[in-house]
Amino acid sequence: MRRRLTPPFFCLFFKLVDALSCSTTTGGSCCSPTNGIVLLSQQWYEGLGPSDYFTMHGLWPNMCNGGRTPKKGCDPSRRYGNLDPILRRNQSLYDDMSTYWPSFNGEDRNAEFWSHEWITHGTCITTLERQCFSNFQEYQDLFTYFNTALELYQQYNLYAVLSDANIIPGGSYSLDQFESAVRAYTGFMPLITCKEGSKLDEIRIYFKVRNGNHYEPINSTARSSCSRTRRIEYPVK
Ligand SMILES: *[C@@H]1O[C@H](CO)[C@@H](O)[C@H](O)[C@H]1NC(C)=O
Ligand SMILES: *[C@@H]1O[C@H](CO)[C@@H](O)[C@H](O)[C@H]1NC(C)=O
């Protein structure tokens, strides 16, 4: 029988060296996400969610070369089916997700949206694989994914960040103004995306992960889809 070091013990060594994802010393998939550039994507969608909050789109691990993980996700064995009854086991998480992570297809499609985010992106976060938990409880990977995503969402409250820079719904602002406002908070360049020409769509913050679970902002690795010369509309919702 092959003896294995259990992941938490194994990772302890790497914690001591303070390893950042996408570096050579990160110690393997349980200690640090192998797809080590992680995006927090928040959307501004008229009619969706509270009027003074962006809503969550997702927490997306990208590969270290900036490429995307497979469209079908990374682990078909962890497609958990209908997430609605599962997530209701934590009512406070379920309520937060219903408020801040709604589907633009309507409330009855929320669980389908969450399931898509979990299968496509959550299963590609290697630190959430079952063997990475010392005493894995059913759905612990799933709950950890959604709880982590919502903690980051609360920490990077983009409505508040923008309003601190006097960027308020109902106005239009340059791409540079949006980028500067977010940089003033995170220290790094976000990705701003536009729809319908020059309407604000999403703001994405890029991270590397230190010691498996500490998210540190980095510069965006992609180009904005918004015009640098036209003003971007930030509609009231
Ligand atoms: C339930 O979700 C909340 C977040 O809404 C989280 O703080 C808490 O740790 C979760 N409880 C369990 C048992 O996972
Ligand atoms: C991040 O981007 C800003 C603006 O483009 C640049 O000035 C800065 O040097 C970049 N930081 C790093 C660490 O690459």
Side-chain angles (χ1 to χ4, degrees):
M1 203 167 86
R2 215 171 120 225
R3 279 194 50 179
R4 289 181 47 176
L5 293 174
T6 59
F9 176 79
F10 177 68
C11 296
L12 196 58
F13 170 76
F14 294 96
K15 286 197 167 106
L16 297 175
V17 302
D18 216 19
L20 199 58
S21 57
C22 298
S23 66
T24 52
T25 54
T26 49
S29 64
C30 283
C31 309
S32 176
T34 304
N35 301 307
I37 297 179
V38 186
L39 280 65
L40 175 71
S41 187
Q42 300 186 40
Q43 53 191 351
W44 187 258
Y45 197 94
E46 287 167 85
L48 190 68
S51 62
D52 56 351
Y53 279 92
F54 281 67
T55 53
M56 264 299 277
H57 187 171
L59 186 67
W60 304 337
N62 273 5
M63 298 191 290
C64 291
N65 67 10
R68 296 199 180 169
T69 53
K71 278 202 165 67
K72 289 185 168 168
C74 298
D75 185 358
S77 80
R78 291 187 296 151
R79 295 172 171 235
Y80 291 140
N82 183 6
L83 293 190
D84 193 87
I86 299 172
L87 290 170
R88 279 180 191 275
R89 296 179 187 187
N90 184 333
Q91 194 62 41
S92 122
L93 176 67
Y94 186 87
D95 291 346
D96 282 350
M97 289 183 65
S98 303
T99 304
Y100 301 109
W101 204 332
S103 165
F104 58 55
N105 289 317
E107 202 179 329
D108 56 344
R109 305 277 293 276
N110 282 351
E112 195 184 311
F113 175 38
W114 301 333
S115 178
H116 169 84
E117 293 301 310
W118 163 249
I119 291 169
T120 312
H121 304 289
T123 63
C124 294
I125 299 184
T126 59
T127 51
L128 298 182
E129 289 168 10
R130 287 191 186 109
Q131 76 274 12
C132 299
F133 294 85
S134 51
N135 181 19
F136 183 79
Q137 314 273 310
E138 196 182 25
Y139 305 126
Q140 200 175 357
D141 48 352
L142 180 82
F143 281 105
T144 306
Y145 175 67
F146 288 117
N147 274 320
T148 303
L150 278 185
E151 276 167 24
L152 287 169
Y153 167 80
Q154 279 160 11
Q155 188 180 346
Y156 295 92
N157 176 343
L158 290 172
Y159 183 91
V161 165
L162 295 179
S163 75
D164 282 350
N166 296 315
I167 298 179
I168 310 288
S172 27
Y173 305 88
S174 68
L175 178 56
D176 192 58
Q177 283 174 298
F178 280 104
E179 288 172 343
S180 299
V182 179
R183 275 181 73 190
Y185 185 71
T186 66
F188 292 89
M189 190 67 108
L191 179 69
I192 317 283
T193 71
C194 284
K195 59 189 171 191
E196 300 164 35
S198 58
K199 211 182 237 191
L200 180 64
D201 181 19
E202 298 202 337
I203 299 184
R204 299 178 185 161
I205 299 174
Y206 286 63
F207 299 90
K208 283 186 178 173
V209 185
R210 193 175 291 282
N211 298 333
N213 59 11
H214 185 72
Y215 286 73
E216 297 186 356
I218 59 169
N219 276 344
S220 152
T221 59
R223 263 178 81 89
S224 174
S225 60
C226 309
S227 161
R228 284 241 164 244
T229 51
R230 282 164 69 186
R231 294 176 87 76
I232 299 167
E233 191 190 336
Y234 183 24
V236 172
K237 70 163 188 170

